[in-house]
Amino acid sequence: MNILILGGGGREHALAWAVMQNPKCDKLIVAPGNAGIAMIAECASLDILDGGAVVQFAEANAIDFVIVGPEAPLAAGVADDLRDAGFSVFGPSKEAARLEASKRFTKEICDAAGAPTAAWARFDAAEPAKAYLREQGAPIVVKADGLAAGKGVIVAETLDQALEAVDDMFGGEFGAAGAEVVIEEFMEGEEASFFVLCDGEVALPIGTAQDHKRVGEGDTGPNTGGMGAYSPAPVLTDEIAARALDEIVRPTLREMAARGTPYQGVLYAGLMIRDGAPRLVEYNVRFGDPECQVLMMRLGAQVLDLMHAAAEGRLDEARVNWADDHAMTVVMAAEGYPGAYEKGSEIRGLCDIAEDSFRMVFHAGTADSDGRIVASGGRVLSVTARGATLAEAAENAYGNVARIDWPQGFFRRDIGWRALERDEG
Ligand code: AMP
Ligand code: GLY
């Protein structure tokens, strides 16, 4: 099979790494890719939001299967364009991608499907939204309806913060994404992510993970795309995962199919778990980044067969072979991230790191500058390792972090702290 992966972050490096190990992969192109991906596959510069250009590229390169990494091309309908042109594609249609692209759509689907989630209301003007906030009180959650690069959610501890968030959103801080606002009940509990492959009908769980969104140790400071992750998530026990599948994911798939917009791809359910019961926080229509890195490390080459089966509606025949182990990824980011940061600093020591099926340094934001690897993004490396226990995975991952010579970078030293404490306790 000739395979095209769209995207160029740590998630796509991990996908490329897993796909390349599968003997069914004859040729792999990643667009746009990055310096790490270029070491294992061909990279191509391509506007991945332009469906016409992607179709043309796939035709010119005799591509058999396309895997869409990020949400933006999905929300732009690139998977539809490819399927219309006859390509096999892993990733939902534009209509089904609304499960991530619109918070209100997701809440409506949950209500129709009877899936447990936070109570909610929607507004398209500030005054009624504020009246509702005053009635409900804090803590409360204010969300811009549309895609806002993970920044459109304000968990307000006080009423004033919530009122201010409403003003900001209707004041245009998040552009068109904030033209409509969803206000939600604040849910208490522990968050975990549940990843399920879907072929429109059948749901196949492929793993659980937890990430650390805050930039600072102890989960403090501003939100980021994720500073590290580990899999499995101990809080998401088999029993709770089975409930999440029966009460949330399967009813969602049935509702999407009933509307004539079946969901195909990976459904990433962000769950809040309390007293053994899961409730939906949000859906994403793609793998998490950096959660994908730990999942790929544990699943390996079989993930290509699974994604292809999902794309072709054959998931009922598919089986997952679980590695009964743990994986952790530690993100190394450029100083200043998630605020302003500099690009172009050199990263040394990468060549000295042995990489195998237990240890990989996935590149998130790197570029090749005359044979030197330089930082080209906020999140730059995703240093990933497996182990028999989470503690061992952490030791392996941090061991490699220590081998990387990059003075302009930083990382959190406490990835996995909650799960590690649980193990000790
Ligand atoms: P989202 O983009 O919807 O995942 O929201 C970002 C983060 O905000 C989530 O990962 C949660 O930590 C938090 N969050 C969102 N909605 C709620 C809620 N209803 N209750 C508590 N926390 C929430
Ligand atoms: N790490 C969170 C996300 O990918 O949305």
Side-chain angles (χ1 to χ4, degrees):
M1 252 192 295
N2 295 336
I3 299 167
L4 171 64
I5 296 179
L6 301 183
R11 167 180 50 212
E12 288 76 23
H13 190 182
L15 286 169
W17 173 81
V19 161
M20 278 297 284
Q21 293 172 50
N22 190 308
K24 292 196 191 93
C25 173
D26 296 310
K27 178 170 148 187
L28 176 63
I29 306 179
V30 184
N34 63 37
I37 297 172
M39 293 177 202
I40 59 167
E42 188 181 327
C43 292
S45 86
L46 175 66
D47 178 1
I48 63 168
L49 298 182
D50 180 343
V54 175
V55 167
Q56 222 172 35
F57 182 87
E59 279 167 354
N61 288 279
I63 296 298
D64 301 298
F65 183 43
V66 184
I67 299 164
V68 185
E71 66 278 17
L74 295 167
V78 171
D80 307 70
D81 295 336
L82 283 161
R83 269 191 287 267
D84 288 347
F87 290 99
S88 177
V89 186
F90 178 79
S93 66
K94 178 176 180 168
E95 197 49 36
R98 289 175 72 201
L99 284 176
E100 175 164 357
S102 167
K103 308 266 185 212
R104 167 191 164 187
F105 178 76
T106 300
K107 300 304 276 189
E108 286 172 353
I109 293 287
C110 283
D111 286 355
T117 184
W120 67 288
R122 63 158 286 269
F123 300 92
D124 47 25
E127 281 320 311
K130 289 182 177 173
Y132 179 78
L133 285 175
R134 289 194 185 96
E135 203 180 287
Q136 298 290 318
I140 196 155
V141 183
V142 181
K143 301 185 175 185
D145 176 67
L147 289 178
K151 298 194 181 83
V153 174
I154 308 295
V155 180
E157 275 155 36
T158 65
L159 180 60
D160 281 344
Q161 278 170 357
L163 294 170
E164 196 185 325
V166 162
D167 278 331
D168 289 346
M169 285 181 194
F170 287 114
E173 183 165 327
F174 301 103
E180 192 171 327
V181 165
V182 168
I183 298 179
E184 279 185 19
E185 163 202 0
F186 172 77
M187 292 189 285
E188 279 180 60
E190 186 171 344
E191 275 187 272
S193 305
F194 186 36
F195 294 87
V196 183
L197 294 187
C198 309
D199 69 0
E201 247 177 81
V202 178
L204 181 71
I206 55 158
T208 65
Q210 280 178 297
D211 77 338
H212 293 268
K213 288 208 175 71
R214 303 298 193 96
V215 74
E217 277 158 26
D219 295 320
T220 54
N223 263 318
T224 69
M227 292 300 293
Y230 49 96
S231 172
V235 64
L236 205 45
T237 58
D238 290 349
E239 197 188 343
I240 298 174
R243 279 188 68 171
L245 200 59
D246 287 342
E247 296 170 16
I248 300 174
V249 174
R250 288 206 176 104
T252 298
L253 292 187
R254 282 196 291 272
E255 180 62 25
M256 294 300 286
R259 291 177 180 225
T261 54
Y263 186 89
Q264 185 265 96
V266 60
L267 191 60
Y268 156 0
L271 303 175
M272 191 66 83
I273 295 150
R274 193 185 181 194
D275 300 331
R279 290 209 283 168
L280 185 78
V281 179
E282 61 158 356
Y283 278 129
N284 294 301
V285 299
R286 50 168 175 89
F287 283 106
D289 188 343
E291 291 91 329
C292 187
Q293 288 83 311
V294 284
L295 291 176
M296 291 308 119
M297 197 104 233
R298 295 185 62 218
L299 288 168
Q302 65 179 323
V303 85
L304 172 60
D305 301 310
L306 297 172
M307 289 191 288
H308 197 229
E312 309 259 287
R314 294 186 277 103
L315 267 189
D316 52 336
E317 301 162 12
R319 294 285 169 275
V320 186
N321 290 312
W322 299 100
D324 184 20
D325 63 357
H326 299 254
M328 180 180 288
T329 189
V330 179
V331 169
M332 297 182 77
E335 247 165 26
Y337 175 80
Y341 54 84
E342 288 196 1
K343 294 184 183 179
S345 53
E346 184 176 359
I347 302 160
R348 294 197 189 87
L350 289 171
C351 324
D352 304 330
I353 295 180
E355 292 183 327
D356 53 32
S357 61
F358 290 88
R359 273 168 294 255
M360 273 300 299
V361 179
F362 295 117
H363 290 218
T366 62
D368 185 318
S369 167
D370 298 325
R372 298 172 313 142
I373 299 290
V374 299
S376 67
R379 290 189 296 171
V380 173
L381 298 171
S382 193
V383 184
T384 311
R386 288 162 68 184
T389 61
L390 184 62
E392 199 181 300
E395 210 177 292
N396 291 337
Y398 279 107
N400 273 350
V401 167
R403 291 184 178 91
I404 294 170
D405 175 12
W406 181 35
Q408 295 83 356
F410 76 96
F411 57 91
R412 277 181 59 168
R413 285 164 207 278
D414 65 344
I415 301 304
W417 65 269
R418 194 178 274 116
L420 289 165
E421 270 178 15
R422 189 188 287 254
D423 284 353
E424 280 163 17

